[in-house]
Amino acid sequence: DVERAANTSLVILPGMGGETLLMQLDLAGFAIASGSACSSGKSEPSHVLMAMGLSANMARSSIRVSFGPGNTLDDAQALVDALVAVRKRLRSMAGIAA
């Protein structure tokens, strides 16, 4: 219910490190970012996300996804599929049931 950029979404996977997700998705061929655009490249949680009411842990567990005019629904589905696979793999490595 707030104004937002229509092509950009913040995805939060509690308990998953945004930087780890970023690296895993990069290896899968996706270019995403972690945190907010205002905090790119910083190791501390995004002050913007925290000002929006997210906890430090939630801010650290976030990735930012943007789509452009050249992206398709198949691209979006491929990203979702990769994100699900990465989450499952990381949880398995940590000994956490999927």
Side-chain angles (χ1 to χ4, degrees), residues 21-98:
L21 292 169
L22 182 143
M23 288 185 284
Q24 292 293 309
L25 289 170
D26 180 64
L27 290 171
F30 296 94
I32 61 162
S34 64
S36 70
C38 302
S39 66
S40 293
K42 297 180 182 174
S43 61
E44 57 272 352
S46 166
H47 68 281
V48 173
L49 296 179
M50 292 175 53
M52 293 171 59
L54 272 66
S55 69
N57 285 337
M58 294 295 268
R60 284 187 189 99
S61 297
S62 66
I63 57 172
R64 191 176 69 256
V65 178
S66 299
F67 291 96
N71 291 114
T72 66
L73 186 56
D74 288 340
D75 295 330
Q77 187 61 57
L79 174 62
V80 169
D81 293 344
L83 190 53
V84 168
V86 165
R87 180 182 180 272
K88 183 177 181 180
R89 183 172 55 250
L90 292 174
R91 288 178 63 88
S92 175
M93 289 171 60
I96 302 170

